[in-house]
Structures are given as C-alpha cells and as structure tokens.
mmCIF file of all heavy atoms in Angstrom:
data_model
loop_
_atom_site.group_PDB
_atom_site.id
_atom_site.type_symbol
_atom_site.label_atom_id
_atom_site.label_comp_id
_atom_site.label_asym_id
_atom_site.label_seq_id
_atom_site.Cartn_x
_atom_site.Cartn_y
_atom_site.Cartn_z
ATOM 1 N N MET A 1 0.800 -1.205 -0.046
ATOM 2 C CA MET A 1 0.023 -0.063 -0.014
ATOM 3 C C MET A 1 0.847 1.291 -0.042
ATOM 4 O O MET A 1 2.055 1.241 0.345
ATOM 5 C CB MET A 1 -0.948 -0.083 1.221
ATOM 6 C CG MET A 1 -1.894 -1.215 1.157
ATOM 7 S SD MET A 1 -2.982 -1.370 2.528
ATOM 8 C CE MET A 1 -3.857 0.020 2.647
ATOM 9 N N THR A 2 0.264 2.348 -0.474
ATOM 10 C CA THR A 2 1.043 3.666 -0.472
ATOM 11 C C THR A 2 1.388 4.155 0.854
ATOM 12 O O THR A 2 2.414 4.943 0.840
ATOM 13 C CB THR A 2 0.212 4.669 -1.285
ATOM 14 O OG1 THR A 2 -0.967 5.008 -0.524
ATOM 15 C CG2 THR A 2 -0.146 4.261 -2.626
ATOM 16 N N GLY A 3 0.689 3.826 1.862
ATOM 17 C CA GLY A 3 0.973 4.473 3.125
ATOM 18 C C GLY A 3 0.277 5.860 3.362
ATOM 19 O O GLY A 3 0.327 6.397 4.437
ATOM 20 N N ILE A 4 -0.409 6.274 2.341
ATOM 21 C CA ILE A 4 -1.147 7.584 2.365
ATOM 22 C C ILE A 4 -2.501 7.294 3.093
ATOM 23 O O ILE A 4 -3.254 6.397 2.673
ATOM 24 C CB ILE A 4 -1.340 8.192 0.984
ATOM 25 C CG1 ILE A 4 0.034 8.460 0.375
ATOM 26 C CG2 ILE A 4 -2.235 9.445 1.075
ATOM 27 C CD1 ILE A 4 -0.119 8.818 -1.123
ATOM 28 N N VAL A 5 -2.790 8.161 4.139
ATOM 29 C CA VAL A 5 -4.061 7.933 4.793
ATOM 30 C C VAL A 5 -4.906 9.198 4.675
ATOM 31 O O VAL A 5 -4.299 10.323 4.819
ATOM 32 C CB VAL A 5 -3.869 7.582 6.327
ATOM 33 C CG1 VAL A 5 -3.355 6.191 6.441
ATOM 34 C CG2 VAL A 5 -2.944 8.528 7.065
ATOM 35 N N LEU A 6 -6.137 9.137 4.382
ATOM 36 C CA LEU A 6 -7.099 10.290 4.236
ATOM 37 C C LEU A 6 -7.676 10.660 5.597
ATOM 38 O O LEU A 6 -8.012 11.870 5.768
ATOM 39 C CB LEU A 6 -8.185 9.890 3.269
ATOM 40 C CG LEU A 6 -7.726 9.432 1.884
ATOM 41 C CD1 LEU A 6 -8.954 8.978 1.072
ATOM 42 C CD2 LEU A 6 -6.889 10.537 1.180
ATOM 43 N N ALA A 7 -7.654 9.792 6.518
ATOM 44 C CA ALA A 7 -8.161 10.019 7.854
ATOM 45 C C ALA A 7 -7.531 8.931 8.672
ATOM 46 O O ALA A 7 -7.001 7.869 8.158
ATOM 47 C CB ALA A 7 -9.684 9.960 8.010
ATOM 48 N N PRO A 8 -7.513 8.995 10.051
ATOM 49 C CA PRO A 8 -6.958 7.882 10.759
ATOM 50 C C PRO A 8 -7.584 6.504 10.421
ATOM 51 O O PRO A 8 -8.813 6.472 10.330
ATOM 52 C CB PRO A 8 -7.264 8.338 12.221
ATOM 53 C CG PRO A 8 -7.504 9.827 12.191
ATOM 54 C CD PRO A 8 -7.938 10.058 10.825
ATOM 55 N N GLU A 9 -6.738 5.662 10.075
ATOM 56 C CA GLU A 9 -7.151 4.216 9.719
ATOM 57 C C GLU A 9 -7.820 4.200 8.431
ATOM 58 O O GLU A 9 -8.429 3.125 8.088
ATOM 59 C CB GLU A 9 -8.043 3.633 10.961
ATOM 60 C CG GLU A 9 -7.420 3.635 12.184
ATOM 61 C CD GLU A 9 -6.117 2.797 12.323
ATOM 62 O OE1 GLU A 9 -5.965 1.728 11.540
ATOM 63 O OE2 GLU A 9 -5.233 3.132 13.053
ATOM 64 N N LEU A 10 -7.879 5.214 7.596
ATOM 65 C CA LEU A 10 -8.601 5.202 6.262
ATOM 66 C C LEU A 10 -7.549 5.393 5.176
ATOM 67 O O LEU A 10 -7.166 6.527 4.806
ATOM 68 C CB LEU A 10 -9.656 6.250 6.207
ATOM 69 C CG LEU A 10 -10.514 6.244 4.871
ATOM 70 C CD1 LEU A 10 -11.334 4.957 4.739
ATOM 71 C CD2 LEU A 10 -11.366 7.508 4.897
ATOM 72 N N PRO A 11 -7.054 4.416 4.562
ATOM 73 C CA PRO A 11 -5.930 4.503 3.539
ATOM 74 C C PRO A 11 -6.590 5.060 2.184
ATOM 75 O O PRO A 11 -7.789 4.848 1.895
ATOM 76 C CB PRO A 11 -5.451 3.091 3.366
ATOM 77 C CG PRO A 11 -6.523 2.211 3.779
ATOM 78 C CD PRO A 11 -7.335 3.023 4.875
ATOM 79 N N LEU A 12 -5.775 5.583 1.433
ATOM 80 C CA LEU A 12 -6.143 6.092 0.143
ATOM 81 C C LEU A 12 -6.790 5.113 -0.752
ATOM 82 O O LEU A 12 -7.828 5.240 -1.457
ATOM 83 C CB LEU A 12 -4.932 6.688 -0.606
ATOM 84 C CG LEU A 12 -5.079 7.110 -2.064
ATOM 85 C CD1 LEU A 12 -5.995 8.322 -2.199
ATOM 86 C CD2 LEU A 12 -3.746 7.431 -2.696
ATOM 87 N N GLU A 13 -6.161 3.821 -0.650
ATOM 88 C CA GLU A 13 -6.746 2.705 -1.514
ATOM 89 C C GLU A 13 -8.219 2.439 -1.173
ATOM 90 O O GLU A 13 -8.884 1.820 -2.001
ATOM 91 C CB GLU A 13 -5.806 1.545 -1.252
ATOM 92 C CG GLU A 13 -4.425 1.614 -1.744
ATOM 93 C CD GLU A 13 -3.426 2.237 -0.751
ATOM 94 O OE1 GLU A 13 -3.878 2.770 0.305
ATOM 95 O OE2 GLU A 13 -2.268 2.344 -1.118
ATOM 96 N N GLU A 14 -8.622 2.662 0.078
ATOM 97 C CA GLU A 14 -10.033 2.263 0.359
ATOM 98 C C GLU A 14 -11.033 2.969 -0.519
ATOM 99 O O GLU A 14 -12.087 2.448 -0.861
ATOM 100 C CB GLU A 14 -10.276 2.627 1.828
ATOM 101 C CG GLU A 14 -11.646 2.231 2.321
ATOM 102 C CD GLU A 14 -11.769 0.739 2.452
ATOM 103 O OE1 GLU A 14 -10.851 -0.022 2.306
ATOM 104 O OE2 GLU A 14 -12.899 0.318 2.734
ATOM 105 N N VAL A 15 -10.817 4.272 -0.845
ATOM 106 C CA VAL A 15 -11.720 5.008 -1.680
ATOM 107 C C VAL A 15 -11.821 4.391 -3.040
ATOM 108 O O VAL A 15 -12.897 4.226 -3.699
ATOM 109 C CB VAL A 15 -11.272 6.545 -1.799
ATOM 110 C CG1 VAL A 15 -12.140 7.194 -2.766
ATOM 111 C CG2 VAL A 15 -11.307 7.085 -0.419
ATOM 112 N N PHE A 16 -10.644 4.031 -3.616
ATOM 113 C CA PHE A 16 -10.704 3.370 -4.987
ATOM 114 C C PHE A 16 -11.336 1.963 -4.905
ATOM 115 O O PHE A 16 -12.006 1.618 -5.771
ATOM 116 C CB PHE A 16 -9.255 3.387 -5.509
ATOM 117 C CG PHE A 16 -8.714 4.676 -5.897
ATOM 118 C CD1 PHE A 16 -8.009 5.425 -4.946
ATOM 119 C CD2 PHE A 16 -9.095 5.282 -7.123
ATOM 120 C CE1 PHE A 16 -7.498 6.676 -5.322
ATOM 121 C CE2 PHE A 16 -8.611 6.569 -7.482
ATOM 122 C CZ PHE A 16 -7.888 7.277 -6.547
ATOM 123 N N PHE A 17 -11.048 1.299 -3.891
ATOM 124 C CA PHE A 17 -11.641 -0.028 -3.630
ATOM 125 C C PHE A 17 -13.121 0.053 -3.547
ATOM 126 O O PHE A 17 -13.915 -0.746 -4.216
ATOM 127 C CB PHE A 17 -11.011 -0.782 -2.474
ATOM 128 C CG PHE A 17 -11.790 -2.126 -2.125
ATOM 129 C CD1 PHE A 17 -11.512 -3.143 -2.936
ATOM 130 C CD2 PHE A 17 -12.750 -2.154 -1.106
ATOM 131 C CE1 PHE A 17 -12.242 -4.387 -2.734
ATOM 132 C CE2 PHE A 17 -13.397 -3.290 -0.859
ATOM 133 C CZ PHE A 17 -13.180 -4.443 -1.658
ATOM 134 N N LEU A 18 -13.646 1.053 -2.793
ATOM 135 C CA LEU A 18 -15.076 1.198 -2.730
ATOM 136 C C LEU A 18 -15.689 1.573 -4.027
ATOM 137 O O LEU A 18 -16.801 1.088 -4.356
ATOM 138 C CB LEU A 18 -15.424 2.232 -1.640
ATOM 139 C CG LEU A 18 -15.129 1.898 -0.207
ATOM 140 C CD1 LEU A 18 -15.327 3.033 0.756
ATOM 141 C CD2 LEU A 18 -15.813 0.588 0.214
ATOM 142 N N ALA A 19 -15.012 2.411 -4.814
ATOM 143 C CA ALA A 19 -15.511 2.797 -6.164
ATOM 144 C C ALA A 19 -15.569 1.533 -7.024
ATOM 145 O O ALA A 19 -16.513 1.256 -7.801
ATOM 146 C CB ALA A 19 -14.640 3.836 -6.770
ATOM 147 N N PHE A 20 -14.463 0.735 -6.985
ATOM 148 C CA PHE A 20 -14.491 -0.508 -7.754
ATOM 149 C C PHE A 20 -15.569 -1.470 -7.320
ATOM 150 O O PHE A 20 -16.361 -1.992 -8.091
ATOM 151 C CB PHE A 20 -13.060 -1.216 -7.524
ATOM 152 C CG PHE A 20 -13.198 -2.692 -8.141
ATOM 153 C CD1 PHE A 20 -13.138 -2.918 -9.486
ATOM 154 C CD2 PHE A 20 -13.216 -3.761 -7.215
ATOM 155 C CE1 PHE A 20 -13.223 -4.161 -9.998
ATOM 156 C CE2 PHE A 20 -13.270 -5.017 -7.768
ATOM 157 C CZ PHE A 20 -13.212 -5.215 -9.167
ATOM 158 N N LEU A 21 -15.795 -1.602 -5.982
ATOM 159 C CA LEU A 21 -16.789 -2.461 -5.416
ATOM 160 C C LEU A 21 -18.225 -2.077 -5.914
ATOM 161 O O LEU A 21 -19.062 -2.846 -6.424
ATOM 162 C CB LEU A 21 -16.807 -2.493 -3.924
ATOM 163 C CG LEU A 21 -17.815 -3.328 -3.232
ATOM 164 C CD1 LEU A 21 -17.520 -4.816 -3.425
ATOM 165 C CD2 LEU A 21 -17.799 -3.068 -1.804
ATOM 166 N N CYS A 22 -18.555 -0.770 -5.894
ATOM 167 C CA CYS A 22 -19.855 -0.206 -6.263
ATOM 168 C C CYS A 22 -19.977 -0.329 -7.875
ATOM 169 O O CYS A 22 -21.077 -0.800 -8.247
ATOM 170 C CB CYS A 22 -19.993 1.209 -5.930
ATOM 171 S SG CYS A 22 -20.104 1.463 -4.095
ATOM 172 N N TYR A 23 -18.944 -0.118 -8.607
ATOM 173 C CA TYR A 23 -19.011 -0.260 -10.032
ATOM 174 C C TYR A 23 -19.179 -1.652 -10.495
ATOM 175 O O TYR A 23 -20.004 -1.978 -11.326
ATOM 176 C CB TYR A 23 -17.787 0.401 -10.631
ATOM 177 C CG TYR A 23 -17.747 0.666 -12.126
ATOM 178 C CD1 TYR A 23 -18.954 0.826 -12.832
ATOM 179 C CD2 TYR A 23 -16.636 0.799 -12.829
ATOM 180 C CE1 TYR A 23 -18.971 1.112 -14.107
ATOM 181 C CE2 TYR A 23 -16.595 1.102 -14.209
ATOM 182 C CZ TYR A 23 -17.774 1.304 -14.827
ATOM 183 O OH TYR A 23 -17.838 1.478 -16.113
ATOM 184 N N LEU A 24 -18.371 -2.545 -9.819
ATOM 185 C CA LEU A 24 -18.565 -3.952 -10.131
ATOM 186 C C LEU A 24 -19.994 -4.469 -9.857
ATOM 187 O O LEU A 24 -20.595 -5.190 -10.682
ATOM 188 C CB LEU A 24 -17.576 -4.771 -9.226
ATOM 189 C CG LEU A 24 -17.706 -6.270 -9.323
ATOM 190 C CD1 LEU A 24 -17.394 -6.811 -10.678
ATOM 191 C CD2 LEU A 24 -16.795 -6.960 -8.239
ATOM 192 N N THR A 25 -20.514 -4.048 -8.730
ATOM 193 C CA THR A 25 -21.930 -4.454 -8.384
ATOM 194 C C THR A 25 -22.926 -4.007 -9.393
ATOM 195 O O THR A 25 -23.753 -4.775 -9.839
ATOM 196 C CB THR A 25 -22.236 -3.905 -7.032
ATOM 197 O OG1 THR A 25 -21.380 -4.378 -6.025
ATOM 198 C CG2 THR A 25 -23.730 -4.280 -6.583
ATOM 199 N N MET A 26 -22.779 -2.784 -9.864
ATOM 200 C CA MET A 26 -23.772 -2.218 -10.855
ATOM 201 C C MET A 26 -23.457 -2.929 -12.244
ATOM 202 O O MET A 26 -24.573 -3.186 -12.862
ATOM 203 C CB MET A 26 -23.580 -0.765 -10.891
ATOM 204 C CG MET A 26 -24.080 0.008 -9.693
ATOM 205 S SD MET A 26 -25.669 -0.659 -9.046
ATOM 206 C CE MET A 26 -26.832 -0.359 -10.250
ATOM 207 N N VAL A 27 -22.268 -3.215 -12.615
ATOM 208 C CA VAL A 27 -22.035 -3.880 -13.826
ATOM 209 C C VAL A 27 -22.629 -5.293 -13.784
ATOM 210 O O VAL A 27 -23.351 -5.799 -14.769
ATOM 211 C CB VAL A 27 -20.575 -3.833 -14.202
ATOM 212 C CG1 VAL A 27 -20.272 -4.853 -15.324
ATOM 213 C CG2 VAL A 27 -20.173 -2.480 -14.598
ATOM 214 N N VAL A 28 -22.368 -6.010 -12.716
ATOM 215 C CA VAL A 28 -23.062 -7.379 -12.495
ATOM 216 C C VAL A 28 -24.483 -7.338 -12.495
ATOM 217 O O VAL A 28 -25.158 -8.078 -13.235
ATOM 218 C CB VAL A 28 -22.475 -8.025 -11.256
ATOM 219 C CG1 VAL A 28 -23.298 -9.329 -10.921
ATOM 220 C CG2 VAL A 28 -20.973 -8.386 -11.370
ATOM 221 N N ILE A 29 -25.088 -6.320 -11.805
ATOM 222 C CA ILE A 29 -26.557 -6.345 -11.768
ATOM 223 C C ILE A 29 -27.151 -6.008 -13.202
ATOM 224 O O ILE A 29 -28.100 -6.642 -13.605
ATOM 225 C CB ILE A 29 -27.036 -5.303 -10.688
ATOM 226 C CG1 ILE A 29 -26.850 -5.799 -9.316
ATOM 227 C CG2 ILE A 29 -28.506 -4.888 -10.916
ATOM 228 C CD1 ILE A 29 -27.036 -4.821 -8.279
ATOM 229 N N THR A 30 -26.616 -4.982 -13.764
ATOM 230 C CA THR A 30 -27.213 -4.610 -15.134
ATOM 231 C C THR A 30 -26.842 -5.630 -16.221
ATOM 232 O O THR A 30 -27.620 -5.948 -17.063
ATOM 233 C CB THR A 30 -26.669 -3.259 -15.624
ATOM 234 O OG1 THR A 30 -25.215 -3.235 -15.558
ATOM 235 C CG2 THR A 30 -27.141 -2.057 -14.728
ATOM 236 N N GLY A 31 -25.624 -6.344 -16.026
ATOM 237 C CA GLY A 31 -25.341 -7.442 -17.008
ATOM 238 C C GLY A 31 -26.255 -8.636 -16.682
ATOM 239 O O GLY A 31 -26.732 -9.237 -17.770
ATOM 240 N N ALA A 32 -26.563 -8.921 -15.485
ATOM 241 C CA ALA A 32 -27.491 -10.038 -15.225
ATOM 242 C C ALA A 32 -28.884 -9.724 -15.774
ATOM 243 O O ALA A 32 -29.514 -10.543 -16.327
ATOM 244 C CB ALA A 32 -27.527 -10.282 -13.742
ATOM 245 N N ARG A 33 -29.283 -8.443 -15.600
ATOM 246 C CA ARG A 33 -30.609 -8.094 -16.135
ATOM 247 C C ARG A 33 -30.644 -8.203 -17.632
ATOM 248 O O ARG A 33 -31.606 -8.683 -18.187
ATOM 249 C CB ARG A 33 -30.882 -6.661 -15.679
ATOM 250 C CG ARG A 33 -32.273 -6.224 -16.214
ATOM 251 C CD ARG A 33 -32.691 -4.742 -15.662
ATOM 252 N NE ARG A 33 -32.753 -4.882 -14.200
ATOM 253 C CZ ARG A 33 -32.411 -3.841 -13.449
ATOM 254 N NH1 ARG A 33 -31.911 -2.791 -13.895
ATOM 255 N NH2 ARG A 33 -32.576 -3.909 -12.120
ATOM 256 N N LEU A 34 -29.660 -7.871 -18.301
ATOM 257 C CA LEU A 34 -29.475 -7.966 -19.712
ATOM 258 C C LEU A 34 -29.589 -9.375 -20.168
ATOM 259 O O LEU A 34 -30.402 -9.699 -21.096
ATOM 260 C CB LEU A 34 -28.188 -7.340 -20.245
ATOM 261 C CG LEU A 34 -27.959 -7.299 -21.788
ATOM 262 C CD1 LEU A 34 -28.944 -6.357 -22.441
ATOM 263 C CD2 LEU A 34 -26.590 -6.800 -22.066
ATOM 264 N N VAL A 35 -28.859 -10.295 -19.544
ATOM 265 C CA VAL A 35 -28.878 -11.737 -19.880
ATOM 266 C C VAL A 35 -30.255 -12.303 -19.669
ATOM 267 O O VAL A 35 -30.787 -12.998 -20.490
ATOM 268 C CB VAL A 35 -27.812 -12.477 -19.076
ATOM 269 C CG1 VAL A 35 -28.059 -14.017 -19.223
ATOM 270 C CG2 VAL A 35 -26.429 -12.111 -19.556
ATOM 271 N N LEU A 36 -30.881 -11.922 -18.500
ATOM 272 C CA LEU A 36 -32.157 -12.462 -18.177
ATOM 273 C C LEU A 36 -33.311 -11.968 -19.123
ATOM 274 O O LEU A 36 -34.136 -12.750 -19.533
ATOM 275 C CB LEU A 36 -32.522 -12.218 -16.735
ATOM 276 C CG LEU A 36 -31.753 -12.935 -15.765
ATOM 277 C CD1 LEU A 36 -32.072 -12.474 -14.300
ATOM 278 C CD2 LEU A 36 -31.928 -14.437 -15.890
ATOM 279 N N ASP A 37 -33.171 -10.732 -19.467
ATOM 280 C CA ASP A 37 -34.092 -10.131 -20.450
ATOM 281 C C ASP A 37 -33.978 -10.817 -21.818
ATOM 282 O O ASP A 37 -34.966 -11.093 -22.514
ATOM 283 C CB ASP A 37 -33.870 -8.665 -20.614
ATOM 284 C CG ASP A 37 -34.451 -7.805 -19.359
ATOM 285 O OD1 ASP A 37 -35.119 -8.415 -18.606
ATOM 286 O OD2 ASP A 37 -34.020 -6.633 -19.367
ATOM 287 N N ARG A 38 -32.758 -11.072 -22.306
ATOM 288 C CA ARG A 38 -32.611 -11.735 -23.559
ATOM 289 C C ARG A 38 -33.089 -13.131 -23.480
ATOM 290 O O ARG A 38 -33.652 -13.661 -24.423
ATOM 291 C CB ARG A 38 -31.105 -11.710 -23.949
ATOM 292 C CG ARG A 38 -30.671 -10.342 -24.441
ATOM 293 C CD ARG A 38 -29.293 -10.324 -24.889
ATOM 294 N NE ARG A 38 -28.984 -8.945 -25.346
ATOM 295 C CZ ARG A 38 -27.763 -8.601 -25.706
ATOM 296 N NH1 ARG A 38 -26.733 -9.398 -25.693
ATOM 297 N NH2 ARG A 38 -27.465 -7.409 -26.164
ATOM 298 N N ARG A 39 -32.874 -13.830 -22.390
ATOM 299 C CA ARG A 39 -33.331 -15.235 -22.205
ATOM 300 C C ARG A 39 -34.825 -15.218 -22.257
ATOM 301 O O ARG A 39 -35.473 -16.071 -22.836
ATOM 302 C CB ARG A 39 -32.849 -15.860 -20.939
ATOM 303 C CG ARG A 39 -31.435 -16.151 -20.979
ATOM 304 C CD ARG A 39 -30.985 -16.824 -19.722
ATOM 305 N NE ARG A 39 -30.914 -18.255 -19.922
ATOM 306 C CZ ARG A 39 -30.839 -19.103 -19.044
ATOM 307 N NH1 ARG A 39 -30.979 -18.819 -17.706
ATOM 308 N NH2 ARG A 39 -30.710 -20.364 -19.223
ATOM 309 N N GLY A 40 -35.469 -14.180 -21.573
ATOM 310 C CA GLY A 40 -36.928 -14.088 -21.622
ATOM 311 C C GLY A 40 -37.449 -13.815 -22.943
ATOM 312 O O GLY A 40 -38.554 -14.419 -23.320
ATOM 313 N N ASP A 41 -36.780 -13.009 -23.750
ATOM 314 C CA ASP A 41 -37.229 -12.800 -25.094
ATOM 315 C C ASP A 41 -37.162 -14.056 -25.931
ATOM 316 O O ASP A 41 -38.106 -14.322 -26.724
ATOM 317 C CB ASP A 41 -36.342 -11.677 -25.788
ATOM 318 C CG ASP A 41 -36.598 -10.259 -25.199
ATOM 319 O OD1 ASP A 41 -37.648 -10.137 -24.548
ATOM 320 O OD2 ASP A 41 -35.745 -9.368 -25.501
ATOM 321 N N ARG A 42 -36.144 -14.798 -25.755
ATOM 322 C CA ARG A 42 -35.999 -16.080 -26.474
ATOM 323 C C ARG A 42 -37.219 -16.983 -26.089
ATOM 324 O O ARG A 42 -37.700 -17.704 -26.933
ATOM 325 C CB ARG A 42 -34.688 -16.771 -26.254
ATOM 326 C CG ARG A 42 -33.607 -16.177 -27.055
ATOM 327 C CD ARG A 42 -32.371 -17.077 -27.033
ATOM 328 N NE ARG A 42 -31.157 -16.256 -27.009
ATOM 329 C CZ ARG A 42 -30.139 -16.458 -26.300
ATOM 330 N NH1 ARG A 42 -30.089 -17.587 -25.497
ATOM 331 N NH2 ARG A 42 -29.159 -15.612 -26.240
ATOM 332 N N GLY A 43 -37.409 -17.013 -24.746
ATOM 333 C CA GLY A 43 -38.541 -17.866 -24.310
ATOM 334 C C GLY A 43 -39.898 -17.445 -24.945
ATOM 335 O O GLY A 43 -40.723 -18.252 -25.276
ATOM 336 N N SER A 44 -40.109 -16.136 -25.085
ATOM 337 C CA SER A 44 -41.297 -15.654 -25.776
ATOM 338 C C SER A 44 -41.371 -16.068 -27.186
ATOM 339 O O SER A 44 -42.421 -16.401 -27.701
ATOM 340 C CB SER A 44 -41.364 -14.075 -25.656
ATOM 341 O OG SER A 44 -41.406 -13.654 -24.342
ATOM 342 N N ASP A 45 -40.260 -16.021 -27.898
ATOM 343 C CA ASP A 45 -40.156 -16.436 -29.318
ATOM 344 C C ASP A 45 -40.421 -17.932 -29.419
ATOM 345 O O ASP A 45 -41.208 -18.393 -30.298
ATOM 346 C CB ASP A 45 -38.771 -16.220 -29.885
ATOM 347 C CG ASP A 45 -38.567 -14.672 -30.100
ATOM 348 O OD1 ASP A 45 -39.431 -13.890 -30.084
ATOM 349 O OD2 ASP A 45 -37.290 -14.348 -30.310
ATOM 350 N N ARG A 46 -39.979 -18.712 -28.454
ATOM 351 C CA ARG A 46 -40.150 -20.133 -28.461
ATOM 352 C C ARG A 46 -41.662 -20.412 -28.211
ATOM 353 O O ARG A 46 -42.354 -21.238 -28.980
ATOM 354 C CB ARG A 46 -39.394 -20.807 -27.415
ATOM 355 C CG ARG A 46 -39.344 -22.331 -27.483
ATOM 356 C CD ARG A 46 -38.354 -22.961 -26.407
ATOM 357 N NE ARG A 46 -37.437 -22.003 -25.878
ATOM 358 C CZ ARG A 46 -37.148 -21.982 -24.544
ATOM 359 N NH1 ARG A 46 -37.769 -22.655 -23.722
ATOM 360 N NH2 ARG A 46 -36.227 -21.099 -24.123
#
C-alpha cells in the first residue's frame, strides 16, 4: 500500500476499492438483467 491515509485508519486505497466495489456491483446487476431479459425474449419467441 502507498501508506497515504485520508483519515486515521482510512488509507487512500479504500476510496478506490469502494468505487471498484460499487461499479462492479452495478455492472453485474445490469449485466445479469440484460442476460435474463434476452433469455426471456427467447422464451417468448419459443
């Protein structure tokens, strides 16, 4: 780690990790919705 702290016990990396965590979650959720919607459309065609 860089050793840079933004507050006591709060390293710089934590902010970037939280951004990654939130972004990953939203990409997974929207990606899963896209896959499920496409599967549902195929089911309707069938």
Side-chain angles (χ1 to χ4, degrees):
M1 296 172 63
T2 62
I4 299 169
V5 290
L6 304 175
E9 304 298 327
L10 183 66
L12 172 67
E13 293 85 356
E14 184 70 7
V15 176
F16 291 95
F17 174 74
L18 293 175
F20 169 73
L21 179 68
C22 291
Y23 195 22
L24 172 66
T25 300
M26 294 314 301
V27 165
V28 168
I29 288 171
T30 54
R33 182 176 294 145
L34 181 68
V35 168
L36 292 174
D37 287 349
R38 286 185 180 172
R39 289 180 103 198
D41 288 345
R42 279 195 220 140
S44 298
D45 291 343
R46 191 174 344 131

